[in-house]
Amino acid sequence: MVYIFFLFLFCLVLGLAAVASNPSPYFAALGLVMVAGAGCGVLVGHGGSFLSLVLFLIYLGGMLVVFAYSAALAAEPYPEGLGSWPVLGVMLTYALGAVMASVFFWGGWYEGSWTSADEFAEFSLFRGDIAGVALMYSMGGGILIMGAWVLLLTLFVVLELTRGLSRGALRAV
Amino acid sequence: MNPYILSILLFGLGLGTMTTFASSHWLLAWMGLEINTLAIIPLMAQHHHPRAVEAATKYFLAQAAAAAMLLFASTTNAWLTGQWDIQQMTHPFPITMITLALALKVGLAPLHAWLPEVLQGLDLTTGLILSTWQKLAPFSLLLQMQTSNSTMLILLGLASTLVGGWGGLDQTQLRKILAYSSIAHLGWMILVMQFSPSLSLLALMTYFIMTFSAFLVFKLNKATNINSLASSWAKMPVITSLTPLILLSLGGLPPLTGFLPKWLILQELTKQALPLTATLAALTALLSLYFYLRLCYAMTLTMSPNNLVGTAPWRLPSFQLTLPLATTTTMTILLLPLAPAAMTLMTI
């Protein structure tokens, strides 16, 4: 269990370094997939199975797919992949920086293993994330309405920003 | 812009600030700040030229980074202390991070670098909204937080007054001058925030009135640099003769309104046994005063020559709305005698 967690967190940091090392957007999206996947694994290990599934579905299966299609509209013949030296050098630097930061926070031998703690001591059907979503739909109705309104506002913001083809703000379209 | 879209965006701006005002939970406060950021982006890019789009992009990146840091800090606070309440933060690490995140949101030095460039790319009306309304929500959060790092707040304040004065010295573009003016005034506000939040609020309100007048004067003149101000004596002589009073009020000279916050802040700092801080703040305010004085010189104290046609526009009727400018100019110049009333109105 500890080893699976360590693998997930390692992939998370590696994927973050891949995104931050400025490759072409397709490879950065690949790094994001790795980050989201590893993050979902860590979430599941801590008892947030519903949240993890929703993250996979909406983030990876909705937002990232739309991003990938939009990036494909601006395809270039020789994209800067993760193997080219400018990108790989930056990525190795970030990975080295992450290792140095972790060495700074390195604890003793007792921090080599950990157990994931969930919220409820007894066997309950209401886990933290599912109960939270249920609460958001019941007693947190105001926040839900505001969240939906903010999403609508975001839609109008994006439509207004991209309006007008090449006469608007996006001159390349 | 389509009036329906404009009304939705302005409603979003109001909703965001009101949400942050009404919140006691960090997530709701963060939500209000994000709504504000989102709603102003199309207003910034509405003229669609590359400079405006660049300004909107820079604003979005800076504000998104600050909001992410705010979210991370409130999550850390929830982890360390077990609760999300804004007014009951006790651990110094999240408090420091949130203070820095809000300083980035509002444009305090040394996190001020985005403000002059963003303000330069906007038209004067959107710049006014950015300088005034967008400062309200982060300011309300700063007022509510318990301070654990007194030194950091004083350093932020002194750095802001210094950068606001020093950075504005070589500028000829009016929007950048107003950006550095905003940085300096915010520095004064945060200097006194831990000692007397009501004085901080008074400084904010007087800054709003003064900068509203300044922006409107420049908007009526359709002037964006100092050279364009030189012809305002022929276009609107009365406004030209009152603008030095507005600018010197921004600079903090008695007997104008801008003296009020600076006076009371210096008194409060002295009472708190910080005479060196008070001296440094007053000295850095001199730097700002220099560029306000330069604007007065170019606009009013010198009647720049113009050809005969250019000296006639004041004879023609103007169809621009001047009532807001009239109100705020009166308040910018004449509010100092009402200082006790102003103090009692700020009841934080």
Side-chain angles (χ1 to χ4, degrees), chain B residues 16-341:
Chain B
T17 307
M18 289 305 141
T19 309
T20 309
F21 279 176
S23 65
S24 58
H25 194 283
W26 272 117
L27 273 185
L28 196 61
W30 169 82
M31 208 160 128
L33 290 173
E34 289 283 85
I35 296 175
N36 264 356
T37 308
L38 273 177
I40 205 175
I41 296 290
L43 288 176
M44 290 182 163
Q46 64 182 317
H47 293 289
H48 298 310
H49 53 85
R51 190 63 185 85
V53 176
E54 176 192 333
T57 313
K58 282 183 185 165
Y59 182 75
F60 179 72
L61 287 173
Q63 301 286 307
M69 196 151 93
L70 187 75
L71 196 60
F72 181 62
S74 24
T75 317
T76 309
N77 182 49
W79 192 355
L80 289 171
T81 63
Q83 48 87 26
W84 292 84
D85 205 298
I86 296 179
Q87 292 174 345
Q88 295 189 20
M89 298 188 68
T90 47
H91 200 283
F93 177 63
I95 291 181
T96 310
M97 261 176 67
I98 290 187
T99 312
L100 288 174
L102 292 172
L104 177 56
K105 271 232 173 257
V106 121
L108 280 164
L111 303 154
H112 65 283
W114 59 274
L115 188 57
E117 303 161 2
V118 167
L119 210 58
Q120 177 65 17
L122 307 175
D123 57 316
L124 284 163
T125 320
T126 317
L128 176 63
I129 300 179
L130 177 64
S131 291
T132 51
W133 186 258
Q134 296 287 72
K135 309 264 185 275
L136 276 174
F139 204 76
S140 73
L141 292 174
L142 277 169
L143 280 176
Q144 289 178 66
M145 277 200 337
Q146 317 294 329
T147 52
S148 75
N149 33 22
S150 154
T151 316
M152 187 179 82
L153 288 175
I154 296 183
L155 280 178
L156 279 174
L158 284 180
S160 300
T161 53
L162 183 64
V163 162
W166 207 349
L169 279 181
D170 200 28
Q171 304 293 339
T172 53
Q173 293 287 328
L174 294 174
R175 289 166 289 181
K176 283 201 178 170
I177 288 180
L178 287 171
Y180 283 105
S181 148
S182 160
I183 297 172
H185 279 97
L186 284 166
W188 279 91
M189 290 173 218
I190 204 155
L191 207 51
V192 82
M193 199 177 279
Q194 48 180 317
F195 306 118
S196 172
S198 49
L199 274 184
S200 197
L201 196 59
L202 177 72
L204 184 73
M205 289 297 135
T206 49
Y207 169 67
F208 275 10
I209 299 170
M210 299 188 290
T211 200
F212 195 85
S213 314
F215 266 101
L216 279 186
V217 163
F218 298 151
K219 186 160 142 43
L220 284 174
N221 274 308
K222 295 189 179 54
T224 50
N225 53 4
I226 300 186
N227 286 342
S228 318
L229 281 181
S231 60
S232 80
W233 64 270
K235 289 190 272 194
M236 38 194 80
V238 179
I239 293 182
T240 308
S241 48
L242 285 177
T243 307
L245 297 176
I246 300 176
L247 291 168
L248 294 177
S249 184
L250 270 170
L253 283 188
L256 305 166
T257 309
F259 181 57
L260 177 62
K262 289 195 166 64
W263 178 22
L264 295 173
I265 289 175
L266 287 175
Q267 182 186 27
E268 184 64 37
L269 287 175
T270 320
K271 276 195 249 172
Q272 297 282 342
L274 292 171
L276 181 62
T277 309
T279 314
L280 284 174
L283 286 177
T284 50
L286 277 179
L287 294 169
S288 316
L289 190 62
Y290 179 71
F291 59 76
Y292 294 129
L293 210 54
R294 177 194 280 146
L295 287 177
C296 301
Y297 173 80
M299 192 170 174
T300 311
L301 302 178
T302 316
M303 281 172 72
S304 307
N306 209 338
N307 49 16
L308 196 61
V309 179
T311 59
W314 63 272
R315 296 182 181 272
L316 303 170
S318 154
F319 297 109
Q320 307 196 65
L321 187 64
T322 48
L323 179 60
L325 179 60
T327 325
T328 49
T329 308
T330 318
M331 287 161 66
T332 310
I333 300 176
L334 296 172
L335 221 47
L336 187 61
L338 292 177

Side-chain angles (χ1 to χ4, degrees), chain A residues 11-12 15 30-43 52 55-56 59-60 64:
Chain A
C11 287
L12 191 123
L30 185 68
L32 276 182
V33 168
M34 200 152 94
V35 169
C40 286
V42 172
L43 261 183
S52 160
L55 194 72
F56 250 107
Y59 184 72
L60 289 182
L64 204 71

Side-chain angles (χ1 to χ4, degrees), chain A residues 143 146-147 149-150 153-154 156-157 160-161 163 167-169 171, chain B residues 1 5 8 11 15 19 28 31 35 38 41-42 45 48 50 53:
Chain A
I143 294 290
M146 252 189 52
W149 166 254
V150 172
L153 177 71
T154 316
F156 286 131
V157 161
E160 177 62 32
L161 277 175
R163 188 164 60 110
R167 289 169 290 113
R171 300 214 161 167
Chain B
M1 193 187 264
I5 298 284
I8 290 180
F11 175 72
L15 181 71
T19 309
L28 196 61
M31 208 160 128
I35 296 175
L38 273 177
I41 296 290
H48 298 310
V53 176

